[in-house]
Each structure stands twice: as C-alpha cells, then as structure tokens.
Amino acid sequence: MKKVFKIIGITLLVIIVLLIAAPFLFSSQIENFVKKTINNNVNAKVEFADIDLSLFRSFPQATVVLSDVSVINNAPFEGDTLADVKEVTLQMSIKELFKGSEEPKRIDEFKVNDAYINILVDSLGRANYDIAKIDTTATTTGNPADTAGGFSLDLQHYEINNSRLHYKDVGAKMALKLEELNHQGTGDFSLDQTELDTDTEAIVSFEFDSINYLNKNKVDLDAVIQMDLENMKYTFLENEAHINQLPLTFNGFVQVDGDDTNIDLTFKTPSSDFKNFLAVIPEVYAKNIENVETKGDFVVDGMIKGTANDKYIPKLDIKVTSNNASFKYPDLPKSVQDINLDLRVLNETGIVEDTYLTFKNVKFRIDQDRFAANGSVKNLMGNMLVALNLDGTLNLANLDKAYPLDMDLDLNGILTVDASTSFDMNSIEKEQYQNVKSSGTAGIKNFSYKSPEIPNEIKVSSARVNLSQGNVTVPELDLTTGQTDLQATGTIQNLMGFLFTDQELKGIFNVKSNTFAVNDFMVAQTEEKPVTTSEENTSETSKTEKVATGEEAIKIPSFLDVVLTFNANKVLYDNLKLTNAKGKLIIRDETATLENITTDIFNGNIALNGHVSTKTATPTFDMSLDLNAISIAESFNGLELMQGLAPIANALQGKIQTNLNLKGNLNNDLTPILTSLAGDALAQILTADVNPEKMPLLAKLDSQLNFIDLDKVDLNNLKTKLSFKDGAVNIQPFDFKIKDVLVQVSGSHGFDMNMNYKLNLDVPAKYLGNQIGNTLSQLSGSNLQNTKVEIPVGLSGTFQSPQINLNMQQAISSLTQKIVEEQKNNLKEKGTNALNDLINKQLGKNNQNQQSTDSTATKTPQTKTDSTKTTQEKKIEDAAKSILGGLLNKNKKKKDTAQ
C-alpha cells in the first residue's frame, strides 16, 4: 500500500514539476509560433510587449497572454493605428503545445481586454483593415495566404471587454463609434450548425452626412443566434434589444454571400405603451420614467429587406406612430396632451438616394396651447429636399412645467408661428436662397430668458419675423437687459442655412438705443466639472456640469456675421459715459470691425476705426482714434491709456486733440493691457493751465529751480509726437516756454511710471537775481538783457517720486565757454577801435615815426593778452562755478528780483 502511495506521490510531483517547467520549456516555442503566424498572414506592423504561457491559470487548459499588442498599418494607411490592445488571452488544450510547428493549433477561447479598434475606409474605398496577405502562388487568385501552421479558431467562448471601436467611411460620409463596448458569445464554432448565445452593451454614436442619428445612446442586445457557418447565415432566435430604454425585438436573418449581404429582418416594440416614446430619449434627459403617467400608444414597427452591396441598400419601411397619447411626470404641475405622431422612413427601390422621411399630423397640446407640424425630407442620402409646415402657439414657461428639461435657465414668453418652407440642401449650402420657397410669420411676445452665464435677464417685449421666398425680414425687435434697451429692424440673409447647416447667421440691421451698457453683455466664464452623486444614483456614464469660474469676459459670438448700423444716445463702458454714439459695426469671425464710429465724450468727441477680436484666448485689437478737443483732466481720470501715455496730464487743465494709432492685447473686459501696446500718436494741447501741486515731479521742479515759475508756463498749441512699444513711451524732442525761459524736452518713460528725461533750460540772466545777473554781465561784458545761461536737467525715478539731477560740469563748461567767447569778442572790438584812433592821430607825421608808433601799438596789447590768458579763463571758470552754485542753492523766490 505504501508503494502505491509512493508511486502516486511521485507521479503528482512529476506533474507539478512539469506544470511549473512547461512555461519555460514552451514559451519560446509559442512566441516564435505567434510571430511566424503573424508574418505569414498579416501585411502590417504587429508588436507586443510580452508573451506569457501559464498552465495554472485555466487548468487543464493552457493560457497564452499577449500584452500591449499594437497593429500599425503599412501603405496606403502607413503609420495609422488599426488596433491597440492592452491584453489578448488565448486558451487551448495542453496537448496543442506538443504539436509540430507546421500543425495548426486549435484555440478554444479568446479574450480581448481594453482594446481600441480604429477602422477607416478612405474616399477611394480602401479599408485599413484589409491587411490579410494574398497567396500569389495559388492557382486561384484572391485566396488568403496559406495558414498551415497557424491558429485554428474552433471557439467555445470569446469576450471583448471595456473596449472602443471607431469606424469612419469617408466616401459614404458615415461614422460609427462604440464606447464602453462589452460583448461575449458562447457556442461551438467547430460545428457547421450551432447556436451562439450573445450579450452586448455599448454607448453608440452614429453620424451620417453630418447628421447625428445616435449621440452617445446606450444600446444593449441579449440574443441567441442560430449560426449556419457553412452558408454564413445568422438567424435571430430569442432576443431583446434596448436603445436607451426603448425595447425592441428582432426576427429574421442576415446572410453573407461573397460581396453581398442579404438581409431579411423585422423589428418592433414588444408593447405599445406610450412610455416607449419617453424611453427613446436619452436617460439623462428623460429622467426616471417608471412613475410617469401615460395614456395612448407608441409603436415602432420596421422592416429591412434586400441586398446590401456597393450599389444597393436593403429596402426600408420603418413606422413610428402614436394616437391621442399623453404623459405627466408626477413632480410636475402640467401634462402634455393630445399627442399624435406619424413618422415613416421609406426606401422602396434599394437605391440609396430614394430614401425619404415623412411626418404627418405631428401634434401636441399643453394647457390651451396647441402646436402642429407636417413635412417630409426626401433624398435623405443625397441632396435632401425639405418641406416643412409649422402652425401653433406655445407658452414657453409651460415647457419645464410639463417636462424635466434640467436646464440652468428660465424661459418665458408666448411663441406663435404660422409658416411653411421648402428647399434643397445644396441651395442652402451654396447660399442660393432664390431657390428657397418660404411664407408666413413668426413672433414672440413678453419673452424672458435667465441663465447663470449672463449677468441680467434678457427681455423681448415684442419680436416678429416675416418669411417671403428666400427673404427673412425682422420688422420689429424690442429688447432690454439690465440698463440696456435695443430697438432693431433688418433682414436675415440665411435663416435656413443657420438652422439646418453649420453656417453663421448673416444679416443687416439698424439698431437704436437710448442706453447701451457694455457690462450687460459680459459672459460668465464656465468650465466642465464632474457632478457628485450618491452611490445609489451613480450611473455608468460620468456626468458633468458647467460651473462658473468667477471670471467674466466679453465674447464676440462666433455664430454671427452681421452688419449693424447703430445710433445710441448713451453708451456705458466700464466707468465711461459716451453720448451720441453712431456708426457701423461689422461682426464676423469673432471679430468686431468699427467703421466711422463717432461719439461725444470728455466735453469733446472721438472718432474710431479698427477692429477687436476675441477669437484667440487673449483678445486683440488694432485701432485708429481721433480725439478732438477733449478735456485733459476728464480724459486722464477716465482713461488708463491716457494715464500711461502722458502722466504729466494729471496736472493740466484744458483741451487736447490727438491722433492715435495703436494695437495690442486686451483684458477680458476689453480694456487694453498697457504693456502690450505698440503704436504712435500726434498730440496737440489746445489750451492748458498747470497746477504743479497735482504732480510731484512738477512740484519738485518748481521748488528746486528758483529761477522758474510754473504758473507762467505756456503750453497752448504745443505739439509733440510719441511712439510706444514693449511698455515704453518714447517722446520726440519738443520745446515750450516758461515766460522767457525756453525749455527743450526729450526722453522716454514706461507704463510702470519709471522715466528718463532730459530738460535743457535756456535761462535769461535777468531771472537769476540782480547780484548774479550783474556779475554775469560784468564778466561777459554784455548787456544783462542779452545774457542767457544754459542749464541741463536730468529727470529719473518715477513721476510720483522723481529724482532731479543737474549736469553741473556741462553747465559750468557751457557758461565758461560763453563768457570767454564774449570777452574775446569784446577784446577784438576794443583793439580794432584803438588802432583806428591811433591811425587817425598820426596821419600828419613822417613814415619813420608812423612805423615806430605802429610797432609799439601792435606789440603792447599782444604781449598783455598772452601773459594773462590762462589766468583769466581760470578766473572765469571759478566765477561760473560760484554763480551756478549760488543759483541752485538759493531758496525759491516767488517774484523775479530783476524786474
């Protein structure tokens, strides 16, 4: 007995050792086998990070796991990702591991986890999934490469978990997206006839010709399918599908026959309860429909039958009907009554262009308000032909009282419409509105709209629209919001294009306003944030909501392409008040272009031309402004731009006119960012009085330079040019007078108020006091009235904390040279006069005496000048130092002592 147990123990030990050692023995073989299979069958770059073989994971099956698998296309889709899979799991019998490398290995089960499949068909009909190699040596062309030695898919079970599939057909203008895809099937693929039990769920989006037919709708299908693998025919047995919450059941089959797919399917709702209609609507909008009271029926009944290939589609007949239905949500006060629907999608020829939609007798009522619609859309897959009739009255305030709209807004107003239109989409897209046939009217009264994104409630007391052929006129629009009132008339050039395509709204309007406040149109900035929900209400799809960031911005609407001719009695912008504003405003491509805008402000007027754009994250502008006879003080207090360009204007009272050309960036409220400005200006002061006490710079100059009196400055008709860039303002040299003192100014300052200026003062000696003035007069030998002193002054620091620097060396040198030059001129004049006197006295004497006298006369002054020249200039320089030192160290005098 012990021997038996010993044998069993040894056997188990051998088996365990083999199970442990097998992955090491076969992993290299499996890896080479996988690579060989791929290379023999696939025309693409296939890579995987790791391959793992386990005998314990699904014992008694062997499990092969491929990690981080990617399939990258070759030409004509070179570089595109066809598939990116986190994990592929293959299960097979252990005995498959012992087969030779040329024998196919049978796969019993496979799983794909976290896959992204990207299928693309280009405009030429080429598909990126067509990567199977063709065996060019085979006698019959078109056969796949020999798969001997590859894998044989005799599946019993397969799974696709948490995956995504994107399909785009450029030529067919069709796109399908499956998100959160989970699919599994169980059946015996080794048999010709078998049943496949499937379970599928996904979030589905489907777009055809730029129209969304499904947009993130939840779809699931539980179905048992009879598979005839020999004839490639798949027949629905037991099944139930849901689109959102709408249940559907299918009958019929799909059969693949070469390039043709034969379809014979019918589908319908298993019941006729009107709740089926609410179930069509995505759950996020329909809310909980379990407790909704409903009456009447809602039936979906469809047929798809025929052949699908490159030329034809199956014939279609899909009906959606409801009669005398109603519904009421338990928590809402009103119900929707008298609901009638008669929708039908038809294709009776199998030609794609012959697909059309009709909707007849579509009606509903809320309280006493009734609304009805009829129409058709033909040639759905081509140049759509649209016919539409609308008739009814609707109180907008009743909408969220009858249906849970879940919108952060408050609507009120009475909408009335009685209109019809017919058009083809090509004419709309090409803006050939002469082909549009429209008639009727639409209007709204006492409309109001509230939203967290806008600062004030918008109220429209009355608005009307008239339709006539392709023309849409707006004879009346009366709107108020906050402090703003607007009255407008005009025309809309492309109403149908705006409503049915992605065209911008184009129009021409005349607008009048008594008061227009720009801040009334500040839009609150928002961002998407996830919604916090309780565990009981957590859905599988994450929810977000718009939350205000606390910032506000003026945004030019991207959907507008309009020309506005306006006249506003009063415009309020930030802290400014503009009156009698008029001109033309063109709004296009998120840009406002101003043409010949004029307005009265600061007791003068302004003319503007240019543009403002909010298209980029940082708004920009480029503007030309003419400021005519505006108040210096008012403009300085009201415009940050003026404070940056001319800080000294704070001390001025008077009028100015300026031509400004500037561009740069804007804040969210469309005020300029000063450091970003670039441009130039030509300014002229028409009249001005100076108050030095309002500007520390002037006050310091007035107190430190005792020979000037800023009360007597003359700035009238002063002109100057300036340019600005990178936060710096550069002033071209200009001059003005403080009584008889000529002041020349040059330099620059920054918008940060730091400055670097030079003042050259040409000061008459008579303003320097009697003692200094007489000393200068005696040194120079000239008349006091004609003597001037040049004083260079440097200004640095800031306008509020200035530094005044006298260039003493330059002043001394200049004064010294001036006195020396004056003395030289005086000596020359005296020498000439003396010589003339001597000549006249000696006219009667002989030549010898005349020569001696001449020699003595010329020699004596020359010798004296040479011997005293150096000493004299030194004395003059010392005197200049003394004069300037005394001049700048004296206390300020309020009156000139020379007068």
Side-chain angles (χ1 to χ4, degrees):
M1 193 68 176
K2 291 182 179 180
K3 186 176 182 181
V4 173
F5 283 115
K6 186 176 181 179
I7 293 172
I8 294 174
I10 293 173
T11 303
L12 289 175
L13 180 62
V14 170
I15 293 173
I16 292 172
V17 170
L18 288 174
L19 289 175
I20 295 173
F24 301 98
L25 298 174
F26 293 104
S27 59
S28 176
Q29 176 188 342
I30 293 295
E31 182 174 353
N32 293 333
F33 185 82
V34 170
K35 289 181 177 179
K36 179 180 177 181
T37 302
I38 292 172
N39 292 331
N40 288 343
N41 294 276
V42 176
N43 180 25
K45 183 179 180 181
V46 181
E47 295 181 343
F48 48 87
D50 189 26
I51 186 168
D52 178 56
L53 173 64
S54 172
L55 300 183
F56 287 102
R57 187 167 180 171
S58 305
F59 187 80
Q61 298 282 85
T63 302
V64 178
V65 180
L66 283 73
S67 302
D68 298 325
V69 181
S70 64
V71 181
I72 309 298
N73 282 113
N74 293 328
F77 298 92
E78 188 168 0
D80 288 351
T81 299
L82 174 60
D84 187 2
V85 185
K86 184 177 181 180
E87 183 180 84
V88 177
T89 302
L90 308 176
Q91 289 186 11
M92 64 188 77
S93 173
I94 292 178
K95 65 180 181 180
E96 300 296 316
L97 300 177
F98 296 93
K99 288 186 176 180
S101 60
E102 300 302 320
E103 297 180 83
K105 292 176 173 51
R106 192 177 73 175
I107 304 298
D108 298 324
E109 181 177 323
F110 80 80
K111 295 180 182 179
V112 175
N113 297 323
D114 298 308
Y116 167 61
I117 310 298
N118 180 42
I119 299 174
L120 177 65
V121 180
D122 66 14
S123 58
L124 301 177
R126 298 175 299 188
N128 71 338
Y129 59 81
D130 188 10
I131 59 174
K133 286 186 176 180
I134 302 299
D135 185 1
T136 57
T137 63
T139 55
T140 305
T141 61
N143 289 335
D146 184 10
T147 59
F151 290 105
S152 171
L153 296 178
D154 292 341
L155 295 176
Q156 305 296 315
H157 181 77
Y158 66 92
E159 294 181 14
I160 300 173
N161 299 312
N162 193 33
S163 296
R164 296 178 295 149
L165 185 148
H166 291 184
Y167 173 84
K168 184 175 182 180
D169 190 327
V170 177
K173 299 181 181 179
M174 181 170 62
L176 172 68
K177 289 184 178 181
L178 303 181
E179 307 285 340
E180 300 178 30
L181 171 62
N182 292 284
H183 170 77
Q184 62 178 341
T186 302
D188 190 348
F189 283 79
S190 65
L191 303 176
D192 290 339
Q193 298 280 341
T194 188
E195 289 185 3
L196 180 66
D197 191 351
T198 65
D199 185 5
T200 307
E201 61 180 27
I203 305 298
V204 181
S205 298
F206 178 68
E207 179 182 297
F208 184 84
D209 199 15
S210 301
I211 298 175
N212 286 321
Y213 291 91
L214 294 174
N215 185 22
K216 295 185 178 180
N217 294 83
K218 184 176 180 181
V219 175
D220 64 72
L221 171 64
D222 293 333
V224 177
I225 299 172
Q226 177 68 43
M227 297 194 304
D228 181 352
L229 296 178
E230 183 177 1
N231 297 305
M232 299 293 286
K233 182 178 180 180
Y234 308 92
T235 304
F236 280 99
L237 300 178
E238 297 178 18
N239 67 89
E240 182 171 88
H242 292 87
I243 301 176
N244 293 325
Q245 300 176 73
L246 174 68
L248 291 173
T249 58
F250 292 83
N251 284 297
F253 67 87
V254 176
Q255 183 176 18
V256 179
D257 184 10
D259 293 333
D260 294 338
T261 300
N262 299 316
I263 301 174
D264 188 352
L265 289 177
T266 61
F267 57 90
K268 64 180 181 179
T269 51
S271 68
S272 60
D273 194 326
F274 188 75
K275 283 185 181 179
N276 292 336
F277 170 74
L278 299 177
V280 175
I281 303 169
E283 184 178 358
V284 67
Y285 301 113
K287 307 301 180 186
N288 186 355
I289 65 173
E290 296 300 323
N291 298 320
V292 176
E293 298 177 11
T294 62
K295 295 180 181 178
D297 58 17
F298 178 82
V299 176
V300 176
D301 190 357
M303 179 273 293
I304 304 174
K305 186 175 183 178
T307 300
N309 53 32
D310 292 340
K311 187 176 181 180
Y312 294 101
I313 65 171
K315 297 177 182 179
L316 305 173
D317 187 0
I318 302 171
K319 301 172 185 176
V320 179
T321 59
S322 180
N323 293 289
N324 297 320
S326 66
F327 68 86
K328 184 181 184 304
Y329 278 80
D331 298 330
L332 298 177
K334 296 186 180 297
S335 61
V336 182
Q337 305 282 334
D338 300 340
I339 301 171
N340 287 280
L341 298 172
D342 187 358
L343 282 67
R344 194 173 187 184
V345 179
L346 277 168
N347 185 298
E348 300 172 305
T349 65
I351 299 172
V352 66
E353 289 80 6
D354 291 342
T355 306
Y356 64 96
L357 164 70
T358 63
F359 46 99
K360 302 176 183 178
N361 196 34
V362 177
K363 296 180 180 180
F364 68 89
R365 174 176 63 84
I366 302 177
D367 281 350
Q368 303 305 312
D369 297 334
R370 298 179 180 273
F371 209 86
N374 294 280
S376 65
V377 182
K378 297 182 178 179
N379 196 15
L380 271 175
M381 309 303 178
N383 178 25
M384 289 192 292
L385 307 175
V386 179
L388 179 64
N389 297 285
L390 298 174
D391 183 18
T393 300
L394 189 60
N395 186 343
L396 300 178
N398 286 335
L399 290 179
D400 62 357
K401 294 178 181 179
Y403 189 82
L405 293 175
D406 192 26
M407 295 188 292
D408 292 329
L409 49 84
D410 185 10
L411 288 175
N412 287 280
I414 306 299
L415 173 67
T416 59
V417 61
D418 183 6
S420 63
T421 185
S422 63
F423 54 86
D424 68 282
M425 289 304 298
N426 281 352
S427 294
I428 297 298
E429 292 170 358
K430 296 177 181 178
E431 302 187 22
Q432 297 172 343
Y433 299 114
Q434 68 274 12
N435 298 331
V436 177
K437 296 180 181 180
S438 300
S439 62
T441 62
I444 192 167
K445 289 184 180 296
N446 301 321
F447 171 81
S448 64
Y449 171 82
K450 290 182 181 179
S451 170
E453 297 182 15
I454 59 176
N456 302 295
E457 181 180 19
I458 295 176
K459 297 180 179 180
V460 177
S461 60
S462 180
R464 288 188 296 118
V465 174
N466 294 335
L467 287 75
S468 178
Q469 294 302 104
N471 299 319
V472 178
T473 60
V474 182
E476 180 185 12
L477 173 61
D478 196 344
L479 177 149
T480 60
T481 179
Q483 302 178 70
T484 299
D485 64 273
L486 288 175
Q487 301 82 43
T489 61
T491 60
I492 300 175
Q493 300 170 354
N494 67 331
L495 180 61
M496 300 305 170
F498 175 69
L499 294 176
F500 293 98
T501 69
D502 57 358
Q503 292 180 16
E504 299 165 351
L505 183 65
K506 299 180 181 180
I508 300 174
F509 294 91
N510 293 311
V511 180
K512 293 182 179 180
S513 175
N514 184 51
T515 300
F516 184 91
V518 176
N519 286 345
D520 289 337
F521 298 90
M522 295 280 284
V523 179
Q525 300 286 73
T526 61
E527 60 183 0
E528 294 282 348
K529 285 192 174 181
V531 177
T532 302
T533 58
S534 62
E535 292 184 1
E536 292 82 10
N537 296 325
T538 302
S539 64
E540 294 182 4
T541 58
S542 60
K543 298 179 180 179
T544 61
E545 64 179 358
K546 288 186 177 181
V547 178
T549 63
E551 298 180 357
E552 290 186 334
I554 299 174
K555 299 293 289 184
I556 299 172
S558 60
F559 64 86
L560 286 181
D561 183 355
V562 297
V563 178
L564 305 175
T565 301
F566 69 89
N567 189 332
N569 293 333
K570 181 171 61 177
V571 176
L572 304 178
Y573 174 47
D574 199 19
N575 61 337
L576 301 179
K577 178 181 176 182
L578 296 80
T579 59
N580 193 28
K582 60 183 65 176
K584 182 182 289 186
L585 180 65
I586 302 171
I587 299 176
R588 181 178 297 130
D589 193 26
E590 298 184 59
T591 300
T593 301
L594 290 72
E595 291 187 358
N596 301 321
I597 307 295
T598 60
T599 184
D600 297 334
I601 189 174
F602 306 136
N603 285 318
N605 59 74
I606 297 178
L608 303 93
N609 286 277
H611 67 261
V612 176
S613 175
T614 60
K615 190 173 184 178
T616 55
T618 301
T620 61
F621 79 107
D622 189 344
M623 199 72 65
S624 173
L625 297 90
D626 294 329
L627 288 69
N628 184 37
I630 64 172
S631 165
I632 298 175
E634 290 184 27
S635 62
F636 183 88
N637 292 329
L639 292 177
E640 187 182 4
L641 175 63
M642 181 68 78
Q643 297 168 17
L645 291 178
I648 203 75
N650 187 36
L652 303 182
Q653 296 283 340
K655 294 278 189 177
I656 189 174
Q657 65 182 28
T658 303
N659 302 114
L660 269 172
N661 297 296
L662 67 164
K663 61 183 178 179
N665 298 332
L666 298 168
N667 295 302
N668 283 335
D669 61 354
L670 301 191
T671 55
I673 300 174
L674 297 184
T675 54
S676 74
L677 295 183
D680 55 71
L682 173 62
Q684 179 180 4
I685 297 176
L686 301 179
T687 61
D689 295 323
V690 180
N691 184 357
E693 300 303 322
K694 287 191 173 183
M695 174 57 65
L697 170 61
L698 296 181
K700 194 166 185 178
L701 280 172
D702 200 32
S703 64
Q704 192 163 331
L705 301 181
N706 62 358
F707 47 84
I708 63 172
D709 186 355
L710 291 180
D711 291 334
K712 297 178 180 180
V713 66
D714 182 11
L715 298 179
N716 293 341
N717 296 314
L718 171 68
K719 291 184 179 180
T720 184
K721 291 183 178 180
L722 53 90
S723 61
F724 37 93
K725 186 178 182 181
D726 299 329
V729 181
N730 296 292
I731 308 294
Q732 291 191 9
F734 68 93
D735 55 55
F736 62 92
K737 284 189 174 182
I738 305 175
K739 202 167 184 180
D740 294 334
V741 178
L742 181 65
V743 182
Q744 295 178 325
V745 182
S746 63
S748 64
H749 70 269
F751 285 113
D752 59 1
M753 296 297 105
N754 282 297
M755 60 178 169
N756 181 21
Y757 278 101
K758 293 181 180 179
L759 306 182
N760 288 319
L761 284 70
D762 204 1
V763 185
K766 63 181 181 180
Y767 292 137
L768 305 179
N770 289 331
Q771 182 179 354
I772 293 175
N774 290 333
T775 302
L776 279 173
S777 180
Q778 291 172 7
L779 285 172
S780 64
S782 63
N783 191 310
L784 182 64
Q785 296 294 327
N786 298 325
T787 302
K788 293 186 177 182
V789 178
E790 294 181 7
I791 301 178
V793 178
L795 304 180
S796 58
T798 68
F799 284 89
Q800 296 299 319
S801 180
Q803 299 294 323
I804 299 177
N805 306 298
L806 173 67
N807 190 335
M808 181 67 78
Q809 187 58 43
Q810 182 180 340
I812 292 170
S813 176
S814 176
L815 181 56
T816 301
Q817 293 300 320
K818 191 170 186 178
I819 293 173
V820 168
E821 195 63 34
E822 288 287 342
Q823 289 189 351
K824 284 182 179 180
N825 290 335
N826 290 338
L827 287 172
K828 287 180 181 179
E829 186 177 348
K830 288 179 180 179
T832 302
N833 291 337
L835 181 60
N836 288 335
D837 290 342
L838 288 172
I839 292 172
N840 290 333
K841 289 179 180 180
Q842 299 298 325
L843 282 176
K845 292 185 178 183
N846 57 38
N847 291 337
Q848 184 178 359
N849 292 335
Q850 182 177 354
Q851 182 178 0
S852 176
T853 303
D854 292 341
S855 175
T856 303
T858 57
K859 223 167 163 187
T860 301
Q862 179 68 37
T863 302
K864 184 177 181 180
T865 301
D866 290 340
S867 64
T868 61
K869 181 178 179 181
T870 303
T871 302
Q872 183 69 15
E873 288 188 3
K874 184 68 170 64
K875 288 181 178 180
I876 292 171
E877 183 175 343
D878 292 340
K881 287 182 180 180
S882 177
I883 290 168
L884 290 170
L887 172 65
L888 295 172
N889 290 325
K890 287 187 177 182
N891 293 328
K892 173 70 181 174
K893 297 180 180 180
K894 295 303 179 182
K895 293 185 65 177
D896 294 329
T897 58
Q899 294 180 9

